[in-house]
Amino acid sequence: AFERAATLDALAEAGGVLAARVGGRRVALYDVGGTVYATDDQCSHGYASLSEGYLDGHLIECPLHQGLFDVRDGSPAGAPCTVAVRAYPVRVEGG
């Protein structure tokens, strides 16, 4: 089941990266060229908030140790991160 996380306007106002609470979990939402992705907000390496990181294309850089994750599937994409973060399906309805 899907739950409302945020509006597209709120995601745009946040610069394309936004933290939200969904189903009791803190997730990070990312807008990459009009497609929205979601992962756990907590880095698997340094336990920092990914929503406070730098988004470059499909990669989010952790603000603590600059490790990278692919927002499409949560896979680690740069050291020191080696463990994936959970990715979630996203459905956009009416903004």
Side-chain angles (χ1 to χ4, degrees), residues 20-92:
R21 187 150 303 273
V22 180
R25 299 182 80 90
R26 187 172 159 101
V27 299
L29 303 171
Y30 315 94
D31 182 350
V32 181
T35 301
V36 180
Y37 300 94
T39 68
D40 277 335
D41 189 37
Q42 187 175 38
C43 174
S44 61
H45 171 260
Y47 306 106
S49 176
L50 293 176
S51 61
E52 296 176 11
Y54 174 71
L55 182 64
D56 184 15
H58 290 103
L59 300 179
I60 186 70
E61 181 182 82
C62 174
L64 187 58
H65 293 115
Q66 290 71 50
L68 299 171
F69 295 94
D70 189 318
V71 300
R72 295 172 290 190
D73 61 9
S75 62
C81 301
T82 58
V83 176
V85 293
R86 186 171 178 183
Y88 300 94
V90 174
R91 182 172 64 201
V92 176

